Amino acid sequence: NIMLDFNLSDEQLMLVEMTRNFVEKDMMPHEGILETKGILPSDLAVVLKKKSIELGLHACNLPEEVGGGGLDAVSVMLIEKELGRTSLALAECAHRPLNILSACQGKQATEFLEPTVKGEKRDCIAMTEPDAGLDLRGMKCKAVRDKDNWLINGVKHFISQASVSDYCVLFAATGEEETSKGMKKRISAFLVDFSDSGVEVAKGYKNVSHRGYTNNILNFNNVRIPEWRMLGTEGQGFQLINEWLGPTRLTVAATSVSRAERAFDTALKYASTREQFGQKIGKFQGVSFPLADMSMEIRLAKLLLMETAWKIDQGTVTPEDCAMAKLYCTEMLARIADQAIQTVGGMGLMEDLPLERIWRDSRVERIWDGTSEIQRHIISRALLRPLGA
């Protein structure tokens, strides 16, 4: 028999309450500043980051043996979901280190992992290129062995928060290998400090979504990296990427659910108080029926999100599980954000309410960390492969 238990533990309930209080009392009051300036003032970011570390939120996703919080996937998802309610979620103050940093060993741990866990250094991931998104085999950035070093040349773009980071986990081609589909590039990961000679953190692109999010272009011109800074083994890049992609797709799904909830709550409150034609607009079926649909979609998304996180903890999660969660939750957010504005009407497009921001921010969720089309490819491939198709 399969037993389904939807109850959260006392510790998980405490984590949710603590994170929600942090979001509502310490983060949400500054959303206006972020929208106006496009970046948090550095002194404010420092204060909020310090509070996040004190609460144990900063590295809660990393194992205890490396200094992290050692929380299970469900607990981390609950925290990410609460943080995702505010537009500050992607700002420097609410960062969680890359889970693949757990692969650091020896000097890598002392130079990169440990200071990152303590909040003394900030990491980011450098994977996407102008001519290669998730087509990792098509990346042109390459690393060539030069005695005891690697010489790196190439360009990365859409690199999240590089301007406020100290180093990146860089993925580059380190050779070729024979596969069933012919010769393919071997991908490896490197720890590249932004102070290394030949590294340029250039300005990125203006973005319609997430004012607190900055992206940068990274240029690597004959960057010489000592061999000890290769993360994992040569050619292990795909394995490390897969370890990172699942949890990060679940984070995108979790924050999408929380923003959908906020949009829905705003629309529901408006429908229950706004009067037209002598009655509350929520009494009109044109308003009330969409509210019912919105509530149902959010509940379905939460169940899918919870099950996927639970599967991670059980060790049974598959790529298609994470793909389904990311796909459904992000597309659900787009529908909820749009309908919430329709419910409120003209005021929904005004900055007085968070709806126009949620609507803007929702657009990128169907693109980064794998487009909706990529997620459908992962799901359909998993369905067809066992049948030989």
Side-chain angles (χ1 to χ4, degrees), residues 127-291:
M127 184 168 61
T128 305
E129 297 183 5
D131 296 320
L134 283 180
D135 177 19
L136 300 178
R137 299 281 192 182
M139 68 172 55
K140 297 178 181 178
C141 183
K142 64 180 181 179
V144 178
R145 189 183 291 276
D146 181 22
K147 296 181 179 178
D148 293 333
N149 299 289
W150 288 90
L151 203 60
I152 299 175
N153 285 280
V155 180
K156 298 289 183 179
H157 80 160
F158 293 158
I159 309 307
S160 302
Q161 308 294 54
S163 60
V164 293
S165 298
D166 300 289
Y167 70 96
C168 69
V169 176
L170 169 72
F171 290 91
T174 51
E176 291 185 327
E177 60 186 351
E178 184 69 43
T179 72
S180 59
K181 296 182 180 180
M183 294 297 292
K184 298 290 184 180
K185 291 178 181 177
R186 292 173 61 84
I187 308 299
S188 303
F190 299 88
L191 295 162
V192 180
D193 197 295
F194 289 156
S195 65
D196 290 332
S197 178
V199 178
E200 179 193 12
V201 181
K203 188 176 180 180
Y205 314 95
K206 278 197 169 184
N207 179 36
V208 69
S209 298
H210 294 297
R211 297 279 166 81
Y213 160 80
T214 59
N215 67 85
N216 296 91
I217 298 169
L218 301 182
N219 295 306
F220 303 92
N221 183 22
N222 289 326
V223 180
R224 191 173 296 276
I225 299 295
E227 192 166 7
W228 67 265
R229 285 220 234 138
M230 174 179 280
L231 189 61
T233 59
E234 194 274 330
Q236 195 186 5
F238 276 105
Q239 180 183 333
L240 292 173
I241 288 170
N242 287 333
E243 289 176 8
W244 169 74
L245 272 175
T248 196
R249 282 173 176 162
L250 205 60
T251 293
V252 173
T255 56
S256 293
V257 171
S258 59
R259 276 178 282 127
E261 289 177 334
R262 189 174 178 186
F264 172 73
D265 290 343
T266 301
L268 181 64
K269 182 178 179 181
Y270 192 88
S272 67
T273 56
R274 170 72 165 169
E275 289 194 6
Q276 290 285 281
F277 305 104
Q279 63 179 359
K280 302 291 191 296
I281 64 170
K283 290 186 176 292
F284 294 103
Q285 289 184 356
V287 173
S288 63
F289 281 16
L291 287 172

Side-chain angles (χ1 to χ4, degrees), residues 3 12 23 95 133 172 175 183 194 258 272 284 287-288 299 336 354 360 365:
M3 298 295 293
Q12 289 170 331
V23 167
H95 175 67
M183 294 297 292
F194 289 156
S258 59
S272 67
F284 294 103
V287 173
S288 63
R299 179 174 294 191
I336 299 300
R360 275 190 286 110
E365 308 301 343

Side-chain angles (χ1 to χ4, degrees), residues 60-113:
C60 63
N61 59 315
L62 295 182
E64 285 185 90
E65 53 265 30
V66 301
L71 294 183
D72 57 81
V74 170
S75 297
V76 173
M77 180 272 295
L78 291 169
I79 288 173
E80 296 285 14
K81 180 175 173 294
E82 289 303 318
L83 289 171
R85 294 176 61 232
T86 175
S87 59
L88 271 67
L90 288 176
E92 163 59 5
C93 61
H95 175 67
R96 251 131 342 275
L98 297 167
N99 61 315
I100 55 178
L101 288 174
S102 298
C104 286
Q105 296 181 352
K107 196 174 179 180
Q108 296 174 342
T110 55
E111 295 287 327
F112 292 94
L113 174 60

Side-chain angles (χ1 to χ4, degrees), residues 11 17 140 144 194 258 262 266 300 367 375 378 380:
E11 181 184 6
E17 182 180 5
K140 297 178 181 178
V144 178
F194 289 156
S258 59
R262 189 174 178 186
T266 301
L300 289 171
I367 296 175
Q375 308 309 324
I378 293 170
S380 60

